[in-house]
Each structure stands twice: as C-alpha cells, then as structure tokens.
Amino acid sequence: MSDHTPLFSFPSLKDWSLSATLAGILASTMGYAGPLVILFQVAESSNLNDTVLSSWIWGMSIASGLLCGWFSLRYRMPLLFAWNAPGSALLVTLVPGIPWSDVIGAYIMSGSILLFLGVTGLFERLVNRLPLTLAAALLAGILVNFSLALFSEMTQSPLLGLVMFSAYIILRHLLPRYAIMLTIAVGVGVLAIIYDLSFHQVEWQISTPHWYMPSFSLTALFSISLPLMLVAVSGQFIAGIAILRQDKYLPPSNQIVAGSGLMSILFAPTACHGVNLSAITAAICTGSDANYDSKKRYIGPVVAMLCYFIFGIFSAALVSVVQAFPTVFIAMVAGIALLGALEGSLSQALSQPAEREAALCTFLITASDLMLLGLSSAFWGLVIGGSIIFVQRYLTK
C-alpha cells in the first residue's frame, strides 16, 4: 500500500456490500462466542468482581473497535483486530497471587514492548529469531488445562458434555467456520431442557469503565508481560499477517504492532489485557466470501467496529447474561473453543525435529504448577526450553 494513502477517509457507499457486512458481524460475534468465557474463569480464579469484568469487556471491545476502524479505513484493507484470546488463557494461571495493580502494570509493560517493537521495526527481526516452536509450546501448555477441564466437567453433567463435544467434532468437519457458535447453540438447547435458564436479572444499561491504577514489578514483568507479549506475537500477529498475505494483501506489519501496543497501553487501566491483529476470525473478512473485489473487503472490519462498540457499551449486560449459565457449561465452552488452538499449537511446537525436545520440555513445564523465585511456570518453560535450544546448537557446532 502506498505511503501517500490519506490518514483517514470515510468509506464510499459504493464499497458497501451485504456479504462484507455479514462477514464483519460474524467475525466480531465469534470473538465473544467462545473466548469471552475464559475471562470469567480468570475472574473466578483471581476473585475479581463483576465490575472488573464489565470494565474489562468494555476496554477490550472499544479498543478493538477503534483499531478496526482506523487501520481498515486508513489502509483500505480488511484489518480485523481483537483482544489477545490466547493471552486470556494464560491469565487463568498467571494472575492469581499477583496484586491487581501489578497485573495492570504488566498489561502496560506488555503493550509497551509491542509499541517498541513496532516503532523501531524490530518486530520482523524478532519474528525471524524467535523459536516459534517454543512460543507454540508455551501456549499449548496453558491450553491443555482447559481441554482437560472439558472432560473433567463431564463427570458433573455427562449428557451436556457428550452432546456438545459430539456436536463440535461433527460440525468441525461439516461447517468449520461456524463450529464453535453452533456448538454453543446446541449446548444452550440442551440446557433449556435440563436446566432452568433465567435471564430476568439481566440489566440492559449502558456500561462505563472503571480505571485501575497500575504498579510495576519485575515479577509481573517476567510472569505476565513477557508471556503475554510472546503469545500475542506468535499466536496472533504472525498468523494474522500470514492470512492477509495469503489473500494477496501487503499489511503494514510494524504499524499494526505499534498501533496495537499503543492501544493496549491506553486501555490497560480499564483491565484490558491487550489487543492485537486477529488470527482466529481474520479469514472471515479477508477471503472472497466477504466480497469478490478484494479492494472492498475492508468494509467487514468497519462493520465489526460498530459491533464491538455495541458489545462494549452493554458489557455489564453481557456479563450478567453469561453468568446466567451454569459454571459447568462455561468450562465446557472454554474447553471446546480452545481445542482448535491447542491442536494448532501442538502441531507447531513439534514441527521442527531439532527443537522438539526443547518444545516438549517447555510444554510440560508450562502445564505444571512449577513456581520458583515467585515466577510462574510459563516463564520457566520459556527459559528452560530456550536454554535447551542454545545448548544443543552450541554442542552441534
């Protein structure tokens, strides 16, 4: 894309299409269908109240919407942004035991690292040097606990679990793009029969964010910021940019990373853990199904921006709707929603024979309850895995 592109211009009416509009609605809605429930597990494990959850959803929704609107209109590309979904899975085990103000500070530090990588142009150099197998193993080590919980919860509600899991396996092959959303719909249908669902306590009111003061610590930097940043880079930015290039776009990589980092810093005080280029739902807006004309597909993320704003404005109602469902259902949805990500992470982690041993150790250490010097298993997984690769490369010289 030319550097002479105007900083901002409104979309032309002739560029609007029903297909791109539906793609934007679907892409943004899918982001809430599965990954959102992981935030509720973070809140439960860390004893966070509904006020924090509402502000968290408000922040990540508004931040994602602003990035979608700005970059898609600025570059006339289908640049879809979302919150760091794999990162939210990390937080279930990383946040407990760390002061909340330090957690907010960790979000800011993670965003600052991304901003630095984008502004200096070091992002692409980091990608070339970063052992993607280790980053994938780190993510897999976190996600495996959600998948195990999926099957553990079947003890409490075997009918619900078996029906949802079976539906997911079938839908993953028949309608892979909609598998998670349809599986959730199947689960809701089962709940409507066996469980007394009630939404009478839902309050449809406009939400406002709460601002939390940050504090900074080395423990939070190593235990939260670095793993959060690495997962965003390896699991979101790289994959998202690859999808765009696959569809013949040339995205401004460094600007995307810098913009995401800046927005993550600005919205961290609302409890937003970070926003980035979307990878999971990006293909919905970048492919020919969105519009046969590749120059008009940017409308999808523009529509997604409006959807994000609506979800953010009514974040408190969204929290109360999710809480109307039983906890076993929330755990099952989280496990099912992350099965695909776990599969991809394991495949990437074990893809390089020379790094397979290091990746396996990173995976096992991250999945464990290891805690040394106040630092989490995710940190030690990366350190030990990286050390193994360094030693192996040194010994083979």
Side-chain angles (χ1 to χ4, degrees), residues 36-282:
L36 181 66
V37 300
I38 301 171
L39 302 188
F40 287 80
Q41 295 195 323
V42 178
E44 182 180 356
S45 65
S46 306
N47 296 317
L48 304 177
N49 57 36
D50 292 353
T51 300
V52 176
L53 270 175
S54 176
S55 181
W56 195 339
I57 296 171
W58 185 95
M60 67 186 195
S61 299
I62 302 301
S64 298
L66 290 173
L67 285 171
C68 282
W70 171 260
F71 276 97
S72 294
L73 292 174
R74 166 74 174 88
Y75 294 100
R76 287 300 196 266
M77 294 184 195
L79 300 174
L80 184 72
F81 290 80
W83 54 93
N84 188 350
S88 60
L90 287 172
L91 299 177
V92 175
T93 56
L94 301 187
V95 170
I98 295 181
W100 182 240
S101 59
D102 281 7
V103 174
I104 300 298
Y107 295 166
I108 293 176
M109 289 188 286
S110 179
S112 299
I113 295 172
L114 290 176
L115 177 61
F116 175 77
L117 292 176
V119 169
T120 60
L122 290 174
F123 168 70
E124 293 188 2
R125 275 195 272 177
L126 173 65
V127 170
N128 292 332
R129 290 180 173 271
L130 176 68
L132 297 183
T133 53
L134 293 192
L138 167 72
L139 181 56
I142 295 295
L143 298 183
V144 69
N145 293 307
F146 289 92
S147 298
L148 292 175
L150 162 65
F151 298 104
S152 298
E153 294 294 343
M154 287 188 186
T155 304
Q156 298 184 38
S157 185
L159 176 62
L160 178 64
L162 289 173
V163 170
M164 290 183 63
F165 181 68
S166 300
Y168 173 77
I169 294 298
I170 294 172
L171 292 167
R172 184 83 186 275
H173 290 277
L174 297 180
L175 298 167
R177 181 176 294 180
Y178 313 103
I180 294 175
M181 294 183 67
L182 292 176
T183 299
I184 294 174
V186 170
V188 172
V190 174
L191 283 177
I193 298 173
I194 67 174
Y195 184 82
D196 183 21
L197 287 177
S198 176
F199 300 99
H200 65 275
Q201 294 183 343
V202 176
E203 297 182 5
W204 298 99
Q205 59 184 8
I206 294 177
S207 305
T208 55
H210 287 255
W211 298 88
Y212 300 94
M213 292 298 296
S215 59
F216 303 93
S217 70
L218 288 177
T219 297
L221 171 65
F222 290 113
S223 292
I224 298 179
S225 301
L226 291 179
L228 206 58
M229 181 275 298
L230 288 172
V231 167
V233 169
S234 61
Q236 298 291 104
F237 286 111
I238 293 177
I241 289 171
I243 290 172
L244 285 161
R245 290 177 175 172
Q246 176 181 300
D247 287 309
K248 312 304 181 185
Y249 292 102
L250 296 176
S253 303
N254 289 322
Q255 290 89 330
I256 287 172
V257 174
S260 299
L262 176 61
M263 201 62 69
S264 297
I265 294 170
L266 294 177
F267 282 83
T270 68
C272 173
H273 64 290
V275 286
N276 44 237
L277 189 66
S278 177
I280 299 173
T281 55

